[in-house]
Amino acid sequence: MAHHKKNLAVKRQDGEPLSRVDLQYDLLYSIFADKHAVFTDPYTTIRGDSAGTKVTFRDLYVNALIHSPRCSKASRDKIRESPEFGNEFSMISLLSNVGRINTTMAFFPEMKTALRTYHPVPALQRTNGNLQDAPRIKNILKTCFLPEETQGMVTTPGDVLARSRSGTVPPTSIVNLVFVFASHSSAIARTHFPPRAPVEFLDLFTPVHVSSPSRARAFLWLCYHYHEAASPNPFSDAPDSNSDRVPPFVLLNKEEAEAENVDSAEEHQRGLDMTDLRRRFLETKAKEELGKDSEGELPRSQAGGSKGRGRGKGKDHADIGSVFRLKEPSPSDSLYSAHFAYKEEDMLEGPGRPPLRRVPSPHPEQFTDRRPPTPPYRRHTLPGHPQDTAPLARAAAEPYPRRPPSPNGDLQHSNGKPTRTQSRKSRRASQTPLFVHEPYQYPPGVPPYPRPAYAAPRYAPSSPETPKRTMLQQAWHVSMTTDPLLDSDDEMYADENTRLDYVLRLRIISRLRGKEPTPPRDLGPYNMNPVNPMIALGAR
């Protein structure tokens, strides 16, 4: 029974080598080692002959890759210098051509992106050439067209035959012809394969119980039949006949099929060595990233010493025995967001996690040295709140609590933005975990903190002349004048309408919270009594 196209691509775990069975190496070797120089090359051949010269399938396919505008100069030069690398690159390209190679695969160990999976190919990496990755190979293949051909001109087997029989030889590039075969696998099998054949076109490149030489011969027969004008096919049993059927397939039993595509001991060891090379590369990269994070945490005098900053010099890194996936900064991160290396003590409480130490919040008297707001900073209170209220300490009013400010630190006003003082000690140096504040217990007779007041952004304070907008007008105004990746603290066009919009959102969220289908109004893992409802709302 024929395989479905959805199961055609090879699927392997990251770092797992591709064996000869995965590649169907004996089939590829039989195709590219064929010596029949019967295909018309539309370009100057790789051996220097003029266009229109008859060449082998190998030379025709390699020359098509070289003339792709997406093929880099380094790849062209390497293919011309090393015929063996040309064979290897062409074989992996043919597998991509028919969809056997998944587009997430990469074949060089120095790959850094997490969107690909690395796979050694020992049978096709005997030279020092770079096989690149499947997406780049696919880009090369998709731009392989004849000079007078445009994309979409030839898409079906009928289009190819019509052009070749009208005297346009070759009718399309050999790469595009293989794309046409792959897109019409069942039609090709019904038209040209023997009746009740156990395979379709795409099955020629999968592990089936059909001999590799007979599959290669059928593939070359199809290429000649469509690529050249109507003429006797040199790959048929009777070269003088004009039969529309490929040569018969040679069927194998299980033992005979297992005797093909056997990896050698050298290739097996090469696969292990390349997997180990990839592992060591990832470990080195993880250590470098960890060094960058650690360097960013230390003060400049500690990070660089007297000899400059350097990368990870003088740091006692932990031994890394496995591959880490480090968090990369997102474009939506604030300019004030701090990125730290993750440690056990930085993790929140939960099953299997270390408990956190809790310390009482600093006494309000410790904040007496806070400098007063500078113009044009203004306060606007929420409806129903007293006008003479004072701002709450940020450690208690922040919906997403940060580390508590040092009592002895130099606290500077930042118009609602988080600040970082120069005297903050390194986490690595002190090894102190994140502290979680408990509600401050006020002594008898001391009035509690007042309710927080809303602080408008400093860029554009509200004005009585600002016209009131409808909900639709405000939504349109926000979408046309603000950056969605910018923090709300950095909004440059905040006005009274913006404040009312936030108030409306807060009221809607407070009404919906705890109702179906939103989660219940629990207070999180710490069972804290928030100072005001806004903290309970923001902490979740």
Side-chain angles (χ1 to χ4, degrees):
M1 181 179 293
H3 292 70
H4 294 288
K5 187 175 181 180
K6 65 180 180 179
N7 297 325
L8 177 67
V10 179
K11 294 180 175 61
R12 292 290 179 268
Q13 297 294 327
D14 188 13
E16 186 176 355
L18 299 184
S19 64
R20 289 196 175 206
V21 175
D22 298 327
L23 305 173
Q24 289 297 288
Y25 179 83
D26 290 358
L27 166 71
L28 298 176
Y29 178 82
S30 299
I31 292 174
F32 285 91
D34 185 80
K35 300 301 181 181
H36 289 83
V38 294
F39 296 94
T40 303
D41 196 333
Y43 307 104
T44 301
T45 67
I46 58 176
R47 306 180 190 277
D49 298 325
S50 60
T53 303
K54 299 293 184 178
V55 297
T56 63
F57 177 85
R58 183 262 178 197
D59 290 355
L60 177 69
Y61 198 85
V62 169
N63 207 21
L65 298 179
I66 289 177
H67 282 83
S68 170
R70 294 294 182 89
C71 186
S72 64
K73 183 179 184 299
S75 297
R76 292 192 187 100
D77 295 342
K78 186 63 178 179
I79 290 174
R80 291 191 175 103
E81 293 172 3
S82 175
E84 186 169 354
F85 173 73
N87 289 339
E88 296 173 351
F89 190 76
S90 300
M91 289 180 181
I92 201 73
S93 298
L94 181 58
L95 293 179
S96 298
N97 209 164
V98 299
R100 180 69 173 157
I101 295 298
N102 198 311
T103 53
T104 61
M105 289 184 173
F107 310 111
F108 56 99
E110 296 82 7
M111 178 196 66
K112 296 181 180 180
T113 177
L115 303 179
R116 309 276 184 268
T117 55
Y118 169 69
H119 301 277
V121 192
L124 299 182
Q125 290 180 316
R126 291 186 290 266
T127 64
N128 60 351
N130 184 3
L131 292 182
Q132 304 182 30
D133 55 26
R136 287 185 175 89
I137 295 175
K138 204 78 170 183
N139 286 335
I140 294 175
L141 297 174
K142 287 183 176 180
T143 55
C144 289
F145 295 104
L146 300 180
E148 70 279 1
E149 184 183 4
T150 59
Q151 187 173 6
M153 179 183 294
V154 181
T155 59
T156 65
D159 295 341
V160 178
L161 286 177
R163 286 174 61 86
S164 63
R165 289 171 180 172
S166 65
T168 305
V169 178
T172 185
S173 69
I174 188 63
V175 172
N176 188 53
L177 180 60
V178 175
F179 275 132
V180 172
F181 289 160
S183 300
H184 300 82
S185 177
S186 299
I188 293 294
R190 288 193 303 269
T191 306
H192 300 292
F193 285 8
R196 296 181 298 278
V199 293
E200 295 181 358
F201 173 77
L202 290 176
D203 296 316
L204 299 179
F205 296 88
T206 62
V208 291
H209 290 181
V210 180
S211 70
S212 297
S214 66
R215 283 183 281 156
R217 189 179 179 188
F219 173 79
L220 294 172
W221 186 97
L222 288 170
C223 291
Y224 183 88
H225 181 78
Y226 283 88
H227 193 267
E228 303 298 318
S231 60
N233 197 314
F235 299 100
S236 62
D237 286 336
D240 295 335
S241 66
N242 290 322
S243 174
D244 287 340
R245 299 288 180 178
V246 301
F249 294 111
V250 178
L251 303 182
L252 306 176
N253 56 34
K254 182 179 180 181
E255 291 73 18
E256 292 172 337
E258 291 176 351
E260 293 187 343
N261 302 299
V262 178
D263 296 287
S264 65
E266 178 186 358
E267 292 171 355
H268 180 71
Q269 184 61 42
R270 188 184 301 124
L272 296 177
D273 294 342
M274 297 179 74
T275 300
D276 183 68
L277 178 64
R278 171 66 176 174
R279 180 188 59 80
R280 288 187 277 110
F281 170 78
L282 290 178
E283 290 180 358
T284 302
K285 181 174 179 292
K287 290 180 180 179
E288 291 178 355
E289 295 293 336
L290 189 60
K292 290 179 182 178
D293 292 342
S294 301
E295 181 177 327
E297 294 176 19
L298 294 175
R300 180 166 300 192
S301 60
Q302 299 181 20
S306 59
K307 297 183 179 181
R309 293 185 63 180
R311 176 175 293 181
K313 294 183 179 180
K315 294 182 177 62
D316 184 16
H317 296 304
D319 181 45
I320 301 177
S322 59
V323 177
F324 294 100
R325 291 184 180 270
L326 298 180
K327 178 180 182 296
E328 297 181 358
S330 167
S332 62
D333 286 342
S334 168
L335 296 176
Y336 305 95
S337 300
H339 299 286
F340 299 101
Y342 298 107
K343 306 184 183 70
E344 271 194 351
E345 58 267 30
D346 290 345
M347 300 165 63
L348 295 177
E349 277 186 323
R353 298 176 177 178
L356 296 176
R357 283 195 294 158
R358 294 190 175 88
V359 296
S361 299
H363 196 277
E365 296 176 356
Q366 294 175 335
F367 293 91
T368 56
D369 58 345
R370 184 185 295 273
R371 296 190 301 180
T374 55
Y377 188 94
R378 299 180 182 178
R379 289 201 305 271
H380 300 267
T381 58
L382 294 171
H385 286 233
Q387 295 290 334
D388 56 348
T389 57
L392 191 65
R394 185 174 185 87
E398 178 64 74
Y400 301 94
R402 303 174 184 269
R403 293 189 65 183
S406 174
N408 299 326
D410 182 16
L411 300 179
Q412 300 180 359
H413 193 273
S414 59
N415 286 340
K417 300 177 183 176
T419 59
R420 182 183 300 175
T421 61
Q422 296 293 333
S423 61
R424 184 171 68 86
K425 295 183 179 180
S426 166
R427 290 188 186 178
R428 178 175 294 276
S430 63
Q431 295 297 327
T432 55
L434 283 173
F435 296 124
V436 179
H437 281 285
E438 294 179 350
Y440 179 75
Q441 303 297 330
Y442 295 91
V446 178
Y449 280 129
R451 300 179 69 88
Y454 175 78
R458 63 184 176 86
Y459 297 102
S462 60
S463 173
E465 293 79 13
T466 303
K468 186 175 181 179
R469 307 185 188 96
T470 65
M471 182 182 300
L472 180 60
Q473 291 174 337
Q474 175 65 13
W476 177 259
H477 174 77
V478 171
S479 64
M480 298 300 295
T481 59
T482 61
D483 184 355
L485 300 182
L486 200 64
D487 282 354
S488 60
D489 287 345
D490 297 329
E491 291 177 349
M492 300 185 63
Y493 301 100
D495 53 19
E496 181 66 15
N497 291 284
T498 303
R499 186 186 72 82
L500 293 176
D501 183 39
Y502 280 125
V503 171
L504 179 61
R505 295 186 192 183
L506 182 61
R507 290 176 178 174
I508 293 175
I509 294 174
S510 63
R511 289 200 303 269
L512 293 179
R513 187 62 177 176
K515 299 180 181 179
E516 293 295 338
T518 61
R521 298 175 59 89
D522 58 331
L523 296 179
Y526 310 110
N527 295 325
M528 294 170 17
N529 287 323
V531 177
N532 59 66
M534 292 181 62
I535 299 179
L537 184 63
R540 296 188 300 275

